[in-house]
Structure formats: C-alpha cells, structure tokens
Amino acid sequence: MKSLFLSICTLVITLQAQTQELANFEWSELSNSTVVGAQNPELVFPSESGFTVYSVEDIGSQFYAPKIIYITKFDVSGKSLSTIDFKLPIRSRKDATLLKIIEGDNKLYFFSHVAVKKDGKNVLYAQIYDNETDQVSDTIELYTIPIEKVNNSGFFEIAISSDKNTFAVLVNKPFVKKTKEAINVLTFDEHLKKLSETSPTLSFGSERAYKETLFVENDGIVNIIKKEDTSKKHPITSIITIKGNDVNEQKVSTEGFYISDCKVIAYNNSHYILGFATDNAKPVVSMGGAKDNSFFIYNISEGQLVKNQEWSKETVKRVLGKGYIDLKVKDILIDNENIYLIGDCYSKDSEAIEGKNFEYNYTHRFGPGIIIKLDINGNVTYDVPLNYSEDYLNRMEVLGSFYPFLNNGKLFVFANEKESKLKNKKIVMGYDKINAKAIVLKSFDAEGNIETIPFWNSKTGGAKKYTTFAPTQTLQITDKTFYIYAIGKEMHKFGKMILK
C-alpha cells in the first residue's frame, strides 16, 4: 500500500512538472491600477517589440464628468515607454459623448458626438490615433444632423469591415410624427475619406422603438439588423441591405423563430447571419429573459434560413436543462470550410451605493458558454457547452469570459479557473486561497471533446498582491506567443505567455 501511495505521488508530481513546462510566463512588475492613466486598460497592437494600451477615464468624480483618453506604449517586457493623453471635442462649452472606439490597421478611431440647441446641430466627430507616429489627429467632423432640440437629436451607429479598410456610419434622423424612418448611410475609407452616401426612406415608422445593429463588409455592402417589439411575445427581426443606392428589406424572424443575438459574416461572395434564437420570446420566461434553445444560419443574399437547430441533448443535460439566458455572440472564427460560432451568457445588474449620489456597484455575470462547429451549409459537427458561471464586481469585469483562437486548424480557449475546482478539493482558509485561479488552456478535438490543461506556474502575485489572468485581455503575437493582462484588488501587471 505504501509503495502504491508513493507511485501515485510520483505520478502526480511528474504530471504537474510536465504541465508547468507547457508554457513560460514573463511578468512585469506589479503596479497600482488605480492611478490616473491606468484605470481602464485595453490592450491593442501586439508585435514582437511590444504593445499599446489605451484607457478612457473620467475627469473628476462627477456623474457626468467628461472623458480623457490616455495611450501608453509598452515594450516586450511590459515596461512603459511613453504616454500621451487627449480630450474629446468641446462645442459651446459642452463636452462630446464617447460613442465608440474602433481598432483599425495600427490605428485607433475615437468616435464621439455632441448636440447643442444653440447652434441647432448634432455633430459626429472622429479622432484618429496613429500607433506608428504616436500622434492624434485633429478633430474630424464626419456628419452633422440639424436639430431643434437636444432630446430629439437623432442617433449615430458606426461599424468597420473585417479587413479594417471600410467604415460605415448609420445616421438616424430626428423623430417626426406620422412619418417613415429616414436614414443616411455613409461609407468611409481607413483615412475617413467619404466613399459613398445614400439617404433611403424605409418602410418602418420613424419612432425609435427598436434596436439596430450595423455591419459593413469588405465589399462595402452595409447590413442593418433591426429589432422591433422586443418587449412583446412575438418580436420582429428584419435586415436592411444597402448596396450603393439599392436598398433591400427582408423580414428574418418567423412564428417560433425569434432571434436573440447575431452577427453578419461574408463567405464566398454571400452574406450570412449567424447567431442564437428562441421559439418563445416572451420576456417573462424564466429568470427575466427568454431561453435561447437553438442556433441558426441565415443566407441574406438568398433570403433563406439555412439551418435552425436546437441544442443537442447532451448540451441541454450539461446546462441542467435551464437553457441559455442572455446568450450573446462572442465571436465567429472561420477556418477554410469550418465555422466556429462562439457564445457566452452575459448580463449586468446595478445597485445604488447607499449614501452616495449617482454611484453604483455593478455585478457582471458570465457563463455558461457554447462552442458550435458547423459549415456554411448548416452541417453541424458539434455543439459543446463551456459549463462555468462567474460573477464579477465593477472593474473586475475584465476577468470574465474566455479567449478563443485557432492554431493550425484546431480550436483553443484560454480561461482562468479556480484552483480548488481544478484540484478537486475545497479551500476554506484565506481570501487569496479561496479565489486563487490558474490559467487553463482548453483544446477541442474533431468531435468537440475538451482537454483542459492548467498552468500552475502562471502565478502573478502573492498574499495581498494577488492578481488573476484576464482572458478577455489576451493578444496573440505569433502562433504560440501572447501578451496577457492580470488584475486584482488595486494591483495589476502585464505579461508574455509562450506556449511550447
């Protein structure tokens, strides 16, 4: 018996040693994540020589405080090299509101707008940061909507193509009673020089009692996914396709097929919608949301539903038959004829902080996730759940979810998991030990079977300086090299991870 025990111990130690050798980690020094310029870091532009981080922060503590943007360049070891900062535009002493930040080809695009009654216009602005020159452009006025009052000043939506060469801007003009929806759709190149503009009047009422999502493809074709009656039992999803001056509207949802979340892709010169759906969209269903019970692919170019398939029995069983609630399309990865539709459940709650004005605690809920492998004709290889669930408070949101990537035709996922779960034991003493997590690499074989490899040598801090790997803050440099970010309490650090 003693000999058997020693053999098992030797095997465990050997396996752990082998696991440790699967990845190397090179971490920068721990630093304070609450200092100005480093409060909300977002990693971009990975290269062999380093990476860049931008952080959007409030100026002052007021609820409607204006924003300031900090951009810092780091070397390959995670050491900061230089920092610049700039503000959003101001007109008539009124600060612009940040709409969207888009990462282009070695450039960052900051879109904002400000509506002022005094001069009767709502202006869409853009500022471009060039990562090569480390400079920010002068403010660009992309579009102006004439207005009569600020609370009816129209809306802007912005999107970029997958090749990062084309931008689309959707302009929803101010609401006018008893009229149809009038929009402007513009496309721009990577320098924000206008390529096209069309001004269609749609068949929908001009009330903005719906949700619109904008997509633009590499060929310059614009698709708008429109949702109506989202609070009713039978919501309607339509798609508007704009090619030059040609505008085509088609209704996608049907009885028993209600789209919850989706994205548009281009494949072999055709456009498709992929996403998740339910057959019962009544909002009161189960815990405040509709259960997503299927995934689908829809051919926009042919106006045809290719496949709407319910979850496999094994998937339903592994998520305890509760279905997926608040399921979002996290990513769509394409590898030759294989398409990976990747989803993650996400919801957010807020609660006012007692005794403070306009200050809230935000709870971010993630999981479970889902990985679906299929082809463009709707032939499904597998749908596999990632059965996890985590809640994160406020700035720790970046720890949630996971990071999928392809390598030599194989799907991998980076995530972090509690050591107590990985080691199949309960840890009850000490905050850091209870919450201690390790980076894990999940690999998927051809049938969707998952192998989970923990990296025990991924530790990023010690007692009272504990930091945890953030899977949503992972950047791939080469096939096996990644920049990573870790955060915890008031400390954070950057690192480089090298797979063997």
Side-chain angles (χ1 to χ4, degrees):
M1 181 65 70
K2 183 177 180 180
S3 176
L4 176 61
F5 174 76
L6 291 174
S7 297
I8 293 173
C9 289
T10 302
L11 177 61
V12 171
I13 292 171
T14 302
L15 288 175
Q16 289 188 355
Q18 290 175 349
T19 300
Q20 288 179 354
E21 294 176 355
L22 290 175
N24 288 337
F25 296 88
E26 301 171 3
W27 293 101
S28 64
E29 293 295 322
L30 279 167
S31 57
N32 193 331
S33 63
T34 65
V35 299
V36 171
Q39 296 174 9
N40 305 298
E42 293 287 339
L43 282 66
V44 289
F45 309 137
S47 71
E48 295 281 5
S49 60
F51 57 96
T52 301
V53 169
Y54 70 87
S55 180
V56 180
E57 301 176 13
D58 295 332
I59 303 175
S61 59
Q62 296 181 356
F63 183 71
Y64 294 105
K67 308 289 186 185
I68 187 168
I69 294 114
Y70 297 88
I71 300 179
T72 305
K73 297 178 78 72
F74 289 83
D75 67 13
V76 69
S77 68
K79 179 182 178 181
S80 61
L81 301 174
S82 63
T83 299
I84 64 171
D85 62 80
F86 64 97
K87 298 178 183 179
L88 297 176
I90 299 175
R91 195 171 85 252
S92 299
R93 298 183 178 180
K94 189 173 181 180
D95 294 280
T97 299
L98 183 63
L99 284 177
K100 203 167 192 178
I101 302 171
I102 293 179
E103 181 181 349
D105 185 10
N106 218 23
K107 291 181 176 63
L108 284 173
Y109 299 82
F110 297 85
F111 296 94
S112 60
H113 82 107
V114 59
V116 178
K117 182 179 180 180
K118 184 178 180 180
D119 59 16
K121 57 185 182 181
N122 183 9
V123 180
L124 174 66
Y125 296 106
Q127 294 158 287
I128 306 173
Y129 167 76
D130 190 318
N131 193 51
E132 290 186 6
T133 63
D134 200 27
Q135 298 290 321
V136 179
S137 71
D138 294 334
T139 299
I140 303 168
E141 294 190 12
L142 277 186
Y143 196 87
T144 298
I145 304 176
I147 64 170
E148 295 182 359
K149 50 187 179 180
V150 173
N151 63 354
N152 185 21
S153 54
F155 301 87
F156 299 104
E157 302 283 347
I158 306 105
I160 190 173
S161 59
S162 59
D163 65 4
K164 300 182 179 180
N165 290 330
T166 306
F167 286 88
V169 173
L170 169 63
V171 182
N172 285 95
K173 298 176 183 178
F175 165 65
V176 179
K177 290 183 179 180
K178 298 181 180 180
T179 62
K180 295 298 182 181
E181 180 184 1
I183 63 174
N184 274 35
V185 177
L186 302 93
T187 60
F188 298 85
D189 66 13
E190 67 273 21
H191 305 294
L192 296 185
K193 301 297 183 183
K194 188 167 70 172
L195 300 173
S196 66
E197 181 175 1
T198 184
S199 305
T201 299
L202 306 177
S203 63
F204 307 90
S206 63
E207 304 94 335
R208 193 174 168 82
Y210 42 73
K211 176 183 176 182
E212 291 177 344
T213 309
L214 180 67
F215 297 91
V216 59
E217 306 310 315
N218 297 343
D219 55 13
I221 295 177
V222 175
N223 289 293
I224 304 168
I225 295 177
K226 178 189 290 290
K227 290 188 174 183
E228 303 173 273
D229 300 335
T230 54
S231 62
K232 297 181 180 179
K233 187 174 181 178
H234 302 290
I236 300 171
T237 301
S238 303
I239 186 159
I240 299 100
T241 301
I242 299 172
K243 182 178 180 180
N245 291 320
D246 296 331
V247 180
N248 180 55
E249 299 178 11
Q250 55 181 303
K251 181 180 175 182
V252 179
S253 57
T254 58
E255 180 70 28
F257 172 61
Y258 308 109
I259 296 172
S260 55
D261 195 47
C262 58
K263 285 188 177 181
V264 174
I265 67 166
Y267 190 96
N268 286 346
N269 299 318
S270 293
H271 293 175
Y272 297 83
I273 312 174
L274 280 82
F276 307 112
T278 179
D279 60 2
N280 187 346
K282 193 173 182 180
V284 297
V285 174
S286 180
M287 298 169 54
K291 289 182 181 179
D292 291 302
N293 60 1
S294 67
F295 54 93
F296 74 92
I297 180 169
Y298 183 94
N299 189 321
I300 300 172
S301 302
E302 296 182 2
Q304 180 181 4
L305 180 63
V306 177
K307 173 65 70 72
N308 179 41
Q309 180 163 315
E310 295 184 356
W311 309 124
S312 65
K313 292 182 179 180
E314 182 64 24
T315 293
V316 173
K317 181 180 179 181
R318 287 181 60 182
V319 294
L320 305 178
K322 295 180 180 179
Y324 286 89
I325 298 174
D326 298 314
L327 186 60
K328 307 292 189 298
V329 177
K330 178 177 177 62
D331 210 342
I332 297 176
L333 304 179
I334 300 176
D335 179 42
N336 295 320
E337 296 180 357
N338 296 316
I339 299 173
Y340 296 88
L341 172 60
I342 302 169
D344 193 16
C345 290
Y346 172 75
S347 62
K348 179 174 71 174
D349 293 331
S350 62
E351 183 177 355
I353 300 176
E354 187 175 351
K356 296 187 177 180
N357 294 326
F358 300 109
E359 291 190 37
Y360 299 84
N361 279 322
Y362 294 91
T363 301
H364 304 272
R365 295 186 171 89
F366 295 89
I370 186 75
I371 308 287
I372 299 150
K373 182 179 180 181
L374 72 165
D375 65 22
I376 204 67
N377 298 314
N379 300 308
V380 179
T381 304
Y382 59 74
D383 61 291
V384 177
L386 293 179
N387 203 6
Y388 77 102
S389 181
E390 291 279 1
D391 291 359
Y392 294 93
L393 190 65
N394 297 331
R395 62 197 294 271
M396 304 303 286
E397 175 191 3
V398 296
L399 291 175
S401 193
F402 50 90
Y403 175 78
F405 66 99
L406 294 170
N407 190 347
N408 293 324
K410 191 172 183 179
L411 178 67
F412 295 88
V413 164
F414 279 127
N416 53 29
E417 291 189 7
K418 289 186 177 180
E419 288 191 12
S420 57
K421 177 182 176 182
L422 292 168
K423 296 179 179 179
N424 196 27
K425 64 179 182 178
K426 295 181 179 179
I427 302 175
V428 295
M429 297 298 292
Y431 173 84
D432 291 332
K433 291 184 178 179
I434 292 173
N435 292 279
K437 294 182 179 181
I439 300 175
V440 299
L441 176 66
K442 295 179 180 290
S443 61
F444 294 74
D445 68 14
E447 287 74 40
N449 299 307
I450 303 174
E451 179 186 8
T452 300
I453 302 174
F455 300 145
W456 304 118
N457 58 338
S458 63
K459 294 294 187 300
T460 58
K464 301 186 183 300
K465 291 184 178 179
Y466 182 75
T467 54
T468 301
F469 167 72
T472 54
Q473 290 273 285
T474 301
L475 295 178
Q476 189 167 8
I477 314 168
T478 66
D479 286 348
K480 295 186 177 182
T481 309
F482 302 81
Y483 289 123
I484 54 179
Y485 173 71
I487 182 173
K489 296 184 179 178
E490 294 185 356
M491 307 297 289
H492 67 179
K493 58 167 57 178
F494 302 101
K496 186 168 73 170
M497 175 172 54
I498 305 170
L499 300 181
K500 293 188 176 181

